[in-house]
């Protein structure tokens, strides 16, 4: 674990700043229209994950010396939540444009009136070849039945554009010799295992200095969790040099998707720390559930454009994450409890509960960001502060008389509220309503958001 902490510290101080988002090279409007159409339909329920490098290819196949364009629609991915997919009303993803015959390909050819569509079909592969006498053509791999064989067989068609349509210059069905030559070619090419994330999560440190982290991911140096000074947990990402980052002042979004619980997903927001390449932010509750859950790993995409477009990242393993994060949260809670006691020093607790008047949040939360409910107490009143929503809403703040207080088995009973309160110290309590919840700690009023405060 010392290595993990040292790596994060080293990366924070010495790594070059990663590459910020830059404007993509402009395509012809006909090509851009295909891109925008797919993007628009994807964003009606999904997250647009394009592979720009493999989407549009500038070529010359019409013989006039002007640029033509080959567009591979399957390079435009769309990540659709499982719930949206199950509804039957979700957008199509990139897989919808591929099948046994190959993937959808469009070709825009140059002409007197600009670019026009001259091919829209399904190909397994394509390549621009020299036909001789200065002519260019397309060598394509198509469904085996085009050569009179089965679908699984390889059929090669060579096409030439005659100004009005494509002529089939040659059609060739692979022989046993072709398959044998292909196998030898593959065997002669050393297979390189793609990079994978295999490093286990680890934990180390004490109190506010505790860290739970993983390293060795193909896309970033480290991803770590640490105690937030005001309570709760922060996520920090240390990018690798060259990792695309958002423009200054804009967030990086990480979207995690698991396979358990119907493909549950959540998004983490991170902002760049001043003077550092690191990006940090309060740990999103949904992401916390995923990191501690039953999944062995998570699918991961990132956006440096505020969610307009996303980039596929490698799979992230969760080996060791549950134990590491739980250990971290224990340290964070202890640190937050100690901070509360220090802040309350010299102040007098309020009877009858004998605790500080003010607000109490779960020790895993930040005073500045309660996840659901803060408890208010001033000796006479109790409040369930949920964010100041309209009356009758789930976010309404409920405030009323404390009512009768009874003591039993080390707890204070509050019959008017159907609640038991265990006093852990003058700044720490534990509530039992239906189940015993995690300890809460006292927060000064000036650290509680205005809409959560008693008025």
């Amino acid at each position: 674990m010392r290595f993990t902490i040292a790596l994060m510290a080293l990366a924070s101080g010495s790594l070059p700043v990663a590459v910020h988002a830059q404007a993509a090279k402009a395509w012809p409007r006909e090509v851009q229209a295909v891109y925008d159409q797919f993007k628009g339909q994807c964003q009606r329920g999904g997250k647009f994950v394009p592979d720009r490098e493999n989407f549009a290819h500038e070529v010359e196949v019409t013989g006039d010396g002007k640029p033509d364009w080959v567009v591979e629609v399957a390079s435009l991915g769309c990540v659709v939540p499982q719930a949206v997919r199950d509804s039957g009303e979700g957008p199509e993803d990139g897989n919808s444009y591929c099948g046994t015959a190959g993937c959808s390909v469009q070709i825009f050819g140059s002409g007197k009136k600009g670019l026009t569509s001259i091919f829209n079909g399904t190909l397994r592969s394509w390549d621009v070849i020299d036909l001789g006498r200065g002519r260019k053509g397309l060598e394509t791999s198509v469904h085996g039945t085009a050569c009179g064989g089965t679908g699984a067989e390889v059929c090669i068609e060579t096409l030439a554009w005659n100004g009005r349509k494509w002529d089939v210059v040659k059609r060739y069905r692979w022989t046993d010799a072709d398959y044998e030559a292909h196998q030898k070619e593959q065997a002669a090419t050393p297979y390189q295992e793609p990079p994978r994330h295999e490093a286990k999560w680890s934990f180390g440190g004490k109190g506010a200095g505790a860290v739970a982290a993983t390293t060795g991911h193909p896309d970033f140096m480290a991803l770590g969790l640490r105690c937030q000074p005001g309570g709760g947990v922060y996520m920090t990402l240390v990018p690798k040099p060259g990792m695309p980052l958002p423009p200054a002042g804009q967030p990086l979004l990480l979207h995690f998707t698991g396979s358990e619980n119907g493909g549950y997903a959540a998004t983490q927001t991170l902002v760049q720390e001043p003077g550092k390449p690191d990006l940090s932010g309060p740990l999103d509750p949904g992401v916390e559930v995923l990191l501690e859950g039953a999944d062995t790993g998570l699918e991961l995409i990132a956006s440096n454009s505020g969610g307009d477009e996303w980039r596929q990242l490698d799979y992230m393993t969760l080996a060791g994450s549950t134990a590491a994060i739980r250990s971290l949260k224990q340290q964070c809670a202890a640190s937050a409890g100690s901070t509360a006691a220090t802040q309350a020093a010299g102040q007098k607790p309020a009877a009858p509960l004998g605790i500080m008047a003010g607000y109490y949040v779960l020790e895993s939360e930040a005073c500045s960001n309660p996840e659901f409910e803060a408890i208010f107490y001033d000796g006479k009143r109790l409040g369930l502060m949920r964010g100041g929503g309209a009356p009758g809403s789930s976010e309404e703040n409920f405030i009323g008389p404390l009512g009768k207080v009874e003591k039993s088995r080390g707890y204070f009973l509050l019959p008017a509220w159907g609640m038991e309160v265990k006093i852990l110290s003058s700044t720490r309590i534990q509530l039992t309503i239906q189940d015993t919840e995690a300890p809460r700690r006292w927060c000064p009023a000036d650290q509680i958001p205005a809409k959560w405060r008693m008025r």
Side-chain angles (χ1 to χ4, degrees):
M1 184 57 207
R2 291 180 181 176
F3 173 76
T4 299
I5 296 176
L7 176 58
M8 293 184 70
L10 176 64
S12 298
S14 63
L15 279 180
V17 175
V19 178
H20 286 277
Q22 299 178 352
K25 179 182 177 181
W27 293 315
R29 58 183 177 84
E30 295 83 359
V31 174
Q32 187 68 48
V34 177
Y35 186 88
D36 291 342
Q37 181 180 9
F38 184 91
K39 178 178 179 179
Q41 70 92 12
C42 170
Q43 290 179 333
R44 294 193 293 270
K47 287 180 167 51
F48 182 53
V49 190
D51 178 0
R52 291 186 64 95
E53 283 189 20
N54 292 307
F55 166 66
H57 310 268
E58 184 177 341
V59 298
E60 207 291 287
V61 292
T62 55
D64 61 1
K66 298 179 182 179
D68 308 309
W69 289 83
V70 179
V71 171
E72 299 187 36
V73 184
S75 295
L76 304 181
C78 186
V79 174
V80 183
Q82 190 61 47
V84 176
R85 197 185 303 275
D86 292 343
S87 72
E89 299 178 357
E92 295 180 332
D93 59 22
N95 294 329
S96 303
Y97 294 91
C98 291
T100 58
C103 296
S104 176
V105 173
Q106 294 187 43
I107 300 178
F108 293 92
S110 58
K112 295 180 180 180
K113 298 182 179 180
L115 291 176
T116 57
S117 178
I118 60 174
F119 182 90
N120 191 344
T122 302
L123 300 176
R124 289 174 174 169
S125 67
W126 63 270
D127 195 14
V128 178
I129 62 171
D130 189 352
L131 298 177
R133 300 180 180 179
R135 298 175 64 213
K136 298 292 184 180
L138 278 179
E139 186 173 86
T140 66
S141 176
V142 297
H143 201 269
T145 54
C147 288
T150 64
E153 291 182 308
V154 177
C155 177
I156 304 297
E157 286 188 340
T158 301
L159 309 177
W161 181 250
N162 66 15
R164 295 178 295 103
K165 63 182 181 66
W166 292 96
D167 292 328
V168 179
V169 176
K170 182 180 179 181
R171 182 177 287 124
Y172 176 70
R173 179 179 176 180
W174 267 20
T175 65
D176 291 342
D178 292 313
Y179 287 109
E180 183 178 349
H182 180 66
Q183 290 174 347
K184 288 182 178 180
E185 182 182 348
Q186 287 186 316
T189 304
Y191 175 73
Q192 291 187 340
E193 189 76 28
R196 294 186 301 177
H197 182 223
E198 298 177 328
K200 289 186 176 181
W201 284 69
S202 51
F203 166 79
K206 294 183 179 181
V211 175
T214 185
T215 59
H217 191 277
D219 295 298
F220 45 80
M221 290 287 291
L223 184 71
L225 305 178
R226 56 186 170 88
C227 301
Q228 189 175 348
V233 177
Y234 246 56
M235 175 181 284
T236 296
L237 181 141
V238 182
K240 284 187 174 180
M243 179 180 179
L245 296 182
Q250 299 300 313
L252 176 71
L253 304 179
L254 295 180
H255 186 74
F256 300 83
T257 302
S259 58
E260 301 291 329
N261 301 319
Y264 180 74
T267 301
Q268 174 70 48
T269 300
L270 302 172
V271 296
Q272 192 162 3
E273 298 185 18
K276 298 181 181 180
D278 302 8
L279 297 107
S280 299
L283 180 61
D284 178 85
V287 174
E288 181 180 347
V289 170
L290 283 168
L291 294 178
E292 288 190 87
D295 286 286
T296 57
L298 302 174
E299 301 289 343
L300 185 59
I301 58 176
S303 174
N304 58 17
S305 60
D308 182 56
E309 294 187 8
W310 297 78
R311 185 169 68 92
Q312 191 74 50
L313 302 184
D314 280 278
Y315 185 80
M316 185 182 74
T317 181
L318 292 182
S321 66
T322 300
I325 295 172
R326 288 178 180 174
S327 296
L328 172 73
K329 289 166 67 176
Q330 291 175 357
Q331 293 295 319
C332 293
S335 176
S338 177
T339 299
T342 300
Q343 291 173 328
Q347 301 184 47
K348 187 177 180 179
L353 299 185
I355 59 175
M356 300 300 301
Y359 300 85
Y360 290 79
V361 303
L362 294 175
E363 288 183 326
S364 61
E365 301 173 348
C367 294
S368 60
N369 187 32
E371 291 179 13
F372 170 63
E373 183 176 83
I375 302 298
F376 171 79
Y377 167 79
D378 66 1
K380 296 181 179 179
R381 294 169 298 176
L382 195 74
L384 307 180
M385 319 305 287
R386 296 173 176 168
S393 74
S394 60
E395 296 180 346
E396 181 182 0
N397 292 338
F398 295 93
I399 304 162
L402 183 65
K404 185 178 180 181
V405 177
E406 303 173 359
K407 192 170 184 179
S408 173
R409 307 185 315 278
Y411 285 84
F412 285 104
L413 305 180
L414 307 180
W417 294 86
M419 182 186 301
E420 292 182 333
V421 183
K422 184 177 182 180
I423 309 302
L424 304 176
S425 74
S426 63
T427 56
R428 296 179 73 235
I429 62 175
Q430 192 168 23
L431 304 182
T432 299
I433 303 176
Q434 294 177 338
D435 299 304
T436 301
E437 68 173 16
R440 291 176 176 267
R441 77 177 193 287
W442 176 78
C443 290
D446 61 1
Q447 293 185 16
I448 295 290
K451 66 181 182 178
W452 297 74
R453 291 186 210 157
M454 213 285 293
R455 293 183 177 85

